[in-house]
């Protein structure tokens, strides 16, 4: 679906340097703090910005070569972007019906009703959450093969975020060939949704791992200074000084559980892994 | 290509009826006021309405710029070429509709006031103005695409001022050079009205075409 090989883009001091793959039938997450380069990457993939080096192939083509028909296969949500606020929800529906031959008007109505999106109101009068929901509904109602969702949960409360993630799971179940690339700065959103995770930090991918592997094999060891001196450091990825001693990130949890039963081993959540990777030393 | 254009046209017409609807009502109201009070010639009314709509059509670009609108539009099945093409089609439709409404208003004026003159010669002149307004709309679109947001709003009146200043300078220069004035009058006198009309239409189409090409190249260079 998507192949990004060594794409580079510079904005002053900021430098994006990324490689990433999204395979058919997979949900791939891109996690990183605000300003890490997630939106820049999305824009490059959509051909909205040029890039200095590397290669991007989306649906087998470079972004600039995507035809209208191929773009119909994409469902896109972009952070802080949408239709003009001077249009009403029902105007958007009419525009989509003209743009997408496979537009599902009934599903659009049903989802708007469920999410309490007032189609008779101007979009500029919507709350941030309503706008986010409308953008997701737009992406989901034309049978897109590939969803590209940049911060789709921004502005949503916890309940609405959970519901949105459920809808994405259901969307994937409808057609196993579909794929999703989803970004968020809230890692817990992606933890139970994605098959694959990429962590981006200051424009660079610092981790690519299957989500199951992170949950099964990654852990944070909490050790005192003495324990730290004695512990086998071959499988430590990052270390960070803490008030209790040293926190160490490993991708061989079982090894330390078996060989160092006295050490506190905290199973890795995505949040912990990111915090260690972006804040740790080594 | 057509689906993208149809979608964008739907968006622009809906924006017009949501936002420009009031402008349109004011426009018709002012035109009716002129008609009923008989203060202005029918020919003016027929020109006034399409000119306002031609200028408005270029203005829809500012709605697309707001709130990362361009970024979003180009994530839909729309590309830069489709976008520019749609803007020119939209401005053509708007000017054509304005022209028809203007003609209807002029007709009403003639019906109400039998002294009002709106003959075939004036109709021909109105036809020429249709092309002139297309050229003006083309320049408007090119400026709005080239200069985003506030810059576009500043550049537009400056461009109009420059055009007026050039016209005024030429006029003053011709006025003070009597020999030149006479030779121009002689030259124009030698050319028939039909030739002048054709020249104006060709010039307008040329400006329109150049503005279209310029808009395309300016849009191609844009990044969002």
């Amino acid at each position: 679906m998507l192949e990004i090989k060594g794409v580079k883009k510079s904005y002053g001091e900021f430098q994006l340097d990324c490689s990433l793959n999204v395979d058919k039938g997979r949900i791939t997450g891109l996690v990183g703090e605000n300003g890490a380069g997630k939106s820049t990457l999305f824009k490059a993939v959509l051909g909205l910005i040029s890039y200095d080096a590397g290669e991007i192939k989306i649906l087998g083509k470079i972004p600039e070569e995507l035809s209208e028909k191929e773009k119909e296969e994409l469902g896109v949500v972009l952070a802080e972007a949408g239709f003009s606020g001077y249009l009403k929800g029902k105007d958007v529906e009419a525009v989509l019906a003209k743009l997408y031959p496979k537009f599902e008007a009934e599903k659009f109505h049903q989802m708007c009703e469920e999410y309490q999106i007032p189609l008779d109101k101007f979009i500029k009068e919507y709350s941030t959450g309503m706008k986010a929901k409308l953008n997701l509904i737009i992406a989901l109602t034309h049978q897109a093969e590939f969803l590209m969702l940049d911060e789709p949960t921004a502005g949503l409360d916890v309940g609405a975020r959970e519901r949105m993630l459920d809808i994405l799971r259901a969307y994937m179940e409808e057609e196993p060939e579909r794929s999703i690339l989803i970004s968020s700065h809230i890692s817990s959103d992606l933890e139970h949704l994605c098959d694959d995770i990429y962590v981006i930090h200051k424009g660079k991918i610092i981790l690519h791992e299957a989500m199951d592997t992170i949950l099964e094999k990654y852990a944070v060891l909490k050790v005192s200074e003495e324990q730290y001196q004695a512990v086998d450091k071959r499988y430590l990825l990052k270390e960070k000084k803490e008030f209790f001693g040293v926190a160490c990130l490993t991708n061989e949890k079982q090894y330390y559980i078996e060989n160092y039963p006295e050490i506190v081993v905290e199973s890795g959540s995505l949040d912990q892994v990111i915090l260690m990777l972006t804040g740790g030393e080594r | 290509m057509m689906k993208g254009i149809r979608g964008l046209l739907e968006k622009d017409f809906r924006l017009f009826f949501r936002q420009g609807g009031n402008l349109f009502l004011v426009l018709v109201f002012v035109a009716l006021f002129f008609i009923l009070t008989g203060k202005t010639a029918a020919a003016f009314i027929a020109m006034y309405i399409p000119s306002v709509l031609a200028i408005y059509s270029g203005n829809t670009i500012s709605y697309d710029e707001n709130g990362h609108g361009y970024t979003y539009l180009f994530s839909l099945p729309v590309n830069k070429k489709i976008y520019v093409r749609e803007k020119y089609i939209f401005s053509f439709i708007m000017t054509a509709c304005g022209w028809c409404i203007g003609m209807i208003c002029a007709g009403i004026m003639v019906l109400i006031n039998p002294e009002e003159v709106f003959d075939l010669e004036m109709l021909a002149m109105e036809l020429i103005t249709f092309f002139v307004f297309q050229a003006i709309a083309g320049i408007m679109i090119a400026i709005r695409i080239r200069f985003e947001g506030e810059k576009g709003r500043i550049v537009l009146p400056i461009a109009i001022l420059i055009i007026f200043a050039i016209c005024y300078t030429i006029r003053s220069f011709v006025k003070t050079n009597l020999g030149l004035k006479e030779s121009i009058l002689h030259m124009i006198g030698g050319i028939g009205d039909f030739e002048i009309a054709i020249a104006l239409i060709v010039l307008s189409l040329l400006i329109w075409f150049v503005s279209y090409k310029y808009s395309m190249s300016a849009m191609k260079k844009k990044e969002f």
Side-chain angles (χ1 to χ4, degrees):
Chain A
M1 278 287 173
L2 175 66
E3 207 179 327
I4 302 174
K5 273 190 206 160
V7 163
K8 291 187 172 70
K9 172 81 183 173
S10 300
Y11 281 121
E13 284 187 10
F14 175 80
Q15 282 215 325
L16 180 77
D17 184 357
C18 276
S19 293
L20 179 150
N21 278 312
V22 179
D23 296 325
K24 264 190 184 178
R26 307 274 288 178
I27 304 181
T28 302
L30 181 64
V31 164
E33 74 273 44
N34 290 326
K38 302 185 295 290
S39 297
T40 306
L41 195 64
F42 271 79
K43 285 180 183 178
V45 170
L46 288 164
L48 298 169
I49 54 169
S50 62
Y51 40 94
D52 309 326
E55 189 185 51
I56 298 178
K57 284 262 176 82
I58 176 167
L59 306 175
K61 285 190 170 179
I62 61 166
E64 292 76 16
E65 280 177 3
L66 280 183
S67 68
E68 227 180 319
K69 185 116 193 83
E70 283 151 347
K71 275 182 124 180
E72 285 165 17
E73 299 302 330
L74 304 177
V76 180
V77 171
L78 292 171
E80 294 171 7
F83 275 107
S84 167
Y86 293 96
L87 287 171
K88 291 186 175 183
K90 60 183 176 187
D91 296 329
V92 168
E93 184 192 350
V95 174
L96 295 174
K98 289 266 169 28
L99 282 172
Y100 294 102
K102 291 192 262 181
F103 176 64
E104 300 162 293
E106 204 174 308
K107 189 176 176 187
F108 181 87
H109 270 272
Q110 192 194 324
M111 288 183 84
C112 285
E113 207 167 297
E114 193 182 329
Y115 271 127
Q116 296 171 320
I117 306 293
L119 293 176
D120 263 327
K121 266 191 172 180
F122 283 105
I123 295 172
K124 64 179 176 176
E125 292 165 12
Y126 286 11
S127 65
T128 313
M130 278 178 182
K131 284 180 193 165
K133 287 173 193 169
L134 177 67
N135 285 341
L136 186 71
I137 292 169
I138 292 169
L140 292 176
T141 48
H142 56 270
Q143 297 177 22
E145 281 295 301
F146 182 25
L147 296 184
M148 291 186 56
L149 314 173
D150 184 19
E151 298 276 3
T153 54
L156 295 184
D157 55 59
V158 181
R161 286 212 315 259
E162 276 304 313
R163 180 80 193 95
M164 189 179 269
L165 300 175
D166 284 343
I167 286 171
L168 291 178
R169 284 186 198 101
Y171 192 78
M172 286 296 283
E173 278 164 20
E174 276 174 29
E175 280 283 344
E177 292 280 277
R178 287 173 175 167
S179 310
I180 300 177
L181 172 65
I182 179 170
S183 82
S184 180
H185 64 279
I186 307 167
S187 52
S188 56
D189 280 353
L190 306 186
E191 199 167 278
H192 302 292
L193 175 76
C194 297
D195 303 304
D196 264 322
I197 285 285
Y198 285 84
V199 178
I200 185 168
H201 181 59
K202 292 181 180 168
K204 290 188 173 55
I205 300 291
I206 54 169
L207 175 76
H208 170 217
E209 199 67 88
M211 196 62 234
D212 287 345
T213 309
I214 292 177
L215 297 176
E216 278 168 24
K217 299 183 102 181
Y218 280 65
V220 175
L221 315 178
K222 295 189 166 176
V223 294
S224 63
E225 289 288 350
E226 295 78 44
Q227 285 173 323
Y228 178 71
Q229 297 305 324
V231 83
D232 183 351
K233 296 183 184 68
R234 274 181 300 163
Y235 307 111
L236 298 184
L237 303 173
K238 284 271 182 178
E239 292 147 20
K240 198 175 168 188
K241 290 245 181 241
E242 294 283 4
F243 66 92
F244 53 79
V246 185
C248 310
L249 178 71
T250 178
N251 58 353
E252 288 296 344
K253 176 169 74 176
Q254 204 53 36
Y255 173 80
Y256 290 98
I257 290 174
E258 284 168 10
N259 294 293
Y260 301 93
E262 72 283 4
I263 285 178
V264 178
V265 179
E266 253 182 25
S267 286
S269 69
L270 189 53
D271 256 336
Q272 266 183 324
V273 172
I274 292 168
L275 276 174
M276 285 298 296
L277 284 173
T278 56
E281 296 149 13
R282 181 175 258 226
Chain B
M1 174 82 66
M2 280 319 287
K3 271 176 289 180
I5 289 178
R6 280 210 308 265
L8 290 177
L9 282 175
E10 182 79 33
K11 170 188 74 67
D12 281 343
F13 278 113
R14 282 180 178 264
L15 272 173
F16 171 69
F17 286 113
R18 296 274 176 237
Q19 300 305 311
N22 292 337
L23 162 92
F24 187 67
L25 280 179
V26 171
L27 199 69
V28 171
F29 178 77
V30 173
L32 280 172
F33 175 78
F34 281 141
I35 293 168
L36 297 173
T37 55
K39 287 212 185 302
T40 309
F44 173 77
I45 298 296
M47 267 193 250
Y48 163 70
I49 295 177
S51 67
V52 175
L53 289 188
I55 290 166
Y56 172 83
S57 62
N59 207 35
T60 53
I61 291 171
S62 59
Y63 291 111
D64 299 336
E65 287 170 352
N66 277 340
H68 306 282
Y70 270 146
T71 314
Y72 190 71
L73 282 180
F74 292 121
S75 74
L76 303 172
V78 166
N79 60 32
K80 293 172 178 175
K81 201 186 252 184
I82 290 174
Y83 181 83
V84 173
R85 226 169 253 187
E86 185 272 339
K87 282 291 164 222
Y88 277 79
I89 293 173
F90 179 65
S91 86
F92 176 82
I93 297 171
M94 289 291 279
T95 317
C97 290
W99 191 82
C100 292
I101 294 165
M103 293 308 289
I104 292 167
C105 287
I108 294 171
M109 215 163 160
V110 173
L111 277 178
I112 291 172
N113 184 7
E115 286 171 21
E116 188 69 54
V117 183
F118 196 77
D119 52 16
L120 269 178
E121 195 181 321
M122 289 172 95
L123 182 69
M125 200 176 83
E126 295 297 339
L127 265 172
I128 298 164
T129 59
F130 175 75
F131 288 95
V132 173
F133 291 142
Q134 275 304 291
I136 292 170
I139 294 170
M140 289 270 314
I141 293 169
I143 288 175
R144 291 316 303 256
I145 288 178
R146 173 68 182 81
F147 301 98
E148 270 181 48
E150 281 306 311
K151 261 192 204 167
R153 274 178 217 118
I154 296 165
V155 168
L156 204 61
I158 291 174
I160 292 168
L161 272 176
I162 290 171
I163 291 169
F164 270 105
I166 291 170
C167 292
Y168 183 78
T169 315
I170 293 171
R171 184 173 161 266
S172 310
F173 183 71
V174 171
K175 257 190 167 179
T176 48
N177 290 277
L178 288 175
L180 182 67
K181 187 182 175 184
E182 269 182 20
S183 59
I184 288 173
L185 282 175
H186 179 73
M187 202 171 75
I188 292 173
I191 305 168
D193 289 347
F194 181 73
E195 282 83 0
I196 291 175
I198 293 294
L200 270 173
I201 290 172
V202 170
L203 183 68
S204 300
L205 286 175
L206 195 69
I207 292 171
W208 182 84
F209 182 72
V210 170
S211 78
Y212 175 75
K213 286 282 174 197
Y214 182 79
S215 300
M216 277 285 185
S217 88
M219 187 48 108
K220 254 186 198 169
K221 286 178 200 150
K222 270 184 187 278
E223 293 205 352
F224 309 103

